[in-house]
Structures are given as structure tokens and as C-alpha cells.
Amino acid sequence: MNILLDAETIQARVKELAAEIEAAYPGTDEIHLVGVLKGGFMFMADLVRAMGPRVTLDFIAVSSYAQSTRSSGEVRLLKDLDTGLEGRRVVIVEDIVDTGLTLTYLQDILRARSPKSLRTACLLSKPSRRTVDVIVEHIGFSIEDKFVVGYGLDFAEKYRNLPYIAVLDGE
Ligand code: 5GP
């Protein structure tokens, strides 16, 4: 496994992203973070610890359909949010934006719940893989088209616990 982003580099960037998000929502409004399970759990945990007392959070779980139907953009909702979003300042917290299909789906269903505003924070982005033009206001790192694991991201459910991001051997 080759380390692409070490733990220190990730932690420093997550702190910057936390400050960016707070600056985007000036004032005293609560900032409601929606973490996307499972991949986004570690990013979410570090992000909220770098933010002030205005933060509340919830989780949603989605799973992409089989590769063959992926171009349809269909995504399965596995776990919905516990509370509504009406009138709230919401930020989606996702691990990685690849084709953009998952985030497009999430943004569409969450926007339909009438938040006061909706932004998206993604730790990683693979711009060369994008098939839909999705807007992500906060991006941690843009990376090449390599399959990465660690810091929440898995390969067959393994490696999510690594504190760094690595490229699997053979990639
Ligand atoms: P998209 O819908 O943008 O194509 O895909 C987003 C999802 O694909 C991510 O939430 C993640 O679950 C998965 N994904 C995309 N690239 C990678 C990668 O390099 N490593 C891992 N572990 N998952 C990835």
C-alpha cells in the first residue's frame, strides 16, 4: 500500500475545511452536518471536533446500485435522517466525489426538504472521473484516478480504520 495522504496532512486540511465551512455561514445560525455513511464517518468525526458550538449532526446511508446500472444515477437510500431539514443551514459531509452521481442524488433529495441553504464538503475529489456536473463547495484534496482506501474508505469493508489514505497495491 502506498500512502497518498498521511494523517498529519489530512488533519491539517480538515481543520482548514472546518474554518471554511464556518466562514461560509457567518452569524449564529446552527450548522447542521449530514454525514454520508459509511465512508464519511471519520471525516465527519474530525470535522465536527474542529468546529465550534453551532454544530449539530445527523447521518444518512446510501449505496450505489450495481456497476451496470450506475450510469442511471440510481442510488439506494439505506438509512434516512432522524430529523427534518426545513429552514436549516445544511452541509453534506462525504468521503469522495468520483462520477458525482451519488452526490447529485443526495443533493436532490435533501434540497427537496427545504433547507435554508445546502452546501457540500468532500474530503477527496477525482475530477477526471466526473460524469455529472455536481457542485461541491468544499474539497479537501483533488486526486488522480486511483482506488484509495483508509480514513473511512474501504476495500471490501476493510481499511476504513486507517488514519491515512493509501492507494491499494497494483493500482
Ligand atoms: P460517485 O457516485 O461519485 O461515482 O461515487 C461516490 C462513491 O463511490 C463514494 O462515496 C465511495 O463510496 C465510492 N468510491 C469512489 N471512488 C472510491 C475510491 O477510490 N475508493 C473507495 N474506497 N471508494 C470509492
Side-chain angles (χ1 to χ4, degrees):
M1 236 187 253
N2 297 313
I3 296 183
L4 184 66
L5 298 164
D6 62 33
E8 209 174 294
T9 305
I10 296 170
Q11 292 302 321
R13 185 72 186 119
V14 170
K15 285 194 178 76
E16 288 175 359
L17 289 173
E20 265 184 34
I21 292 167
E22 288 185 317
Y25 286 153
T28 54
D29 277 357
E30 177 191 294
I31 303 174
H32 190 59
L33 302 189
V34 170
V36 185
L37 295 173
K38 297 176 209 171
F41 85 96
M42 202 173 281
F43 178 34
M44 178 74 145
D46 285 338
L47 195 62
V48 292
R49 280 181 288 184
M51 291 176 74
R54 290 197 284 151
V55 167
T56 58
L57 61 100
D58 202 347
F59 287 98
I60 197 165
V62 293
S63 145
S64 301
Y65 278 118
Q67 206 67 28
S68 56
T69 59
R70 199 154 193 180
S71 54
S72 68
E74 277 182 292
V75 176
R76 255 186 320 150
L77 186 61
L78 302 177
K79 180 218 171 288
D80 205 343
L81 298 171
D82 293 338
T83 56
L85 301 179
E86 202 176 332
R88 304 173 91 169
R89 295 208 179 271
V90 175
V91 184
I92 300 172
V93 178
E94 169 70 305
D95 52 2
I96 186 166
V97 50
D98 187 32
T99 63
L101 293 172
T102 306
L103 266 181
T104 299
Y105 168 83
L106 278 169
Q107 290 179 351
D108 287 349
I109 63 162
L110 299 187
R111 205 174 282 118
R113 299 178 187 189
S114 310
K116 191 167 175 182
S117 54
L118 181 67
R119 302 178 73 86
T120 303
C122 257
L123 184 71
L124 304 173
S125 170
K126 289 183 193 169
S128 66
R129 294 262 309 159
R130 210 76 88 244
T131 59
V132 284
D133 207 5
V134 64
I135 293 173
V136 181
E137 288 85 358
H138 308 280
I139 290 177
F141 304 93
S142 287
I143 62 169
E144 282 176 44
D145 181 16
K146 296 253 166 76
F147 191 82
V148 292
V149 295
Y151 199 73
L153 289 151
D154 76 312
F155 174 69
E157 292 302 324
K158 285 176 70 182
Y159 312 120
R160 291 193 195 276
N161 61 321
L162 299 176
Y164 51 83
I165 287 168
V167 178
L168 272 187
D169 260 352
E171 273 282 316

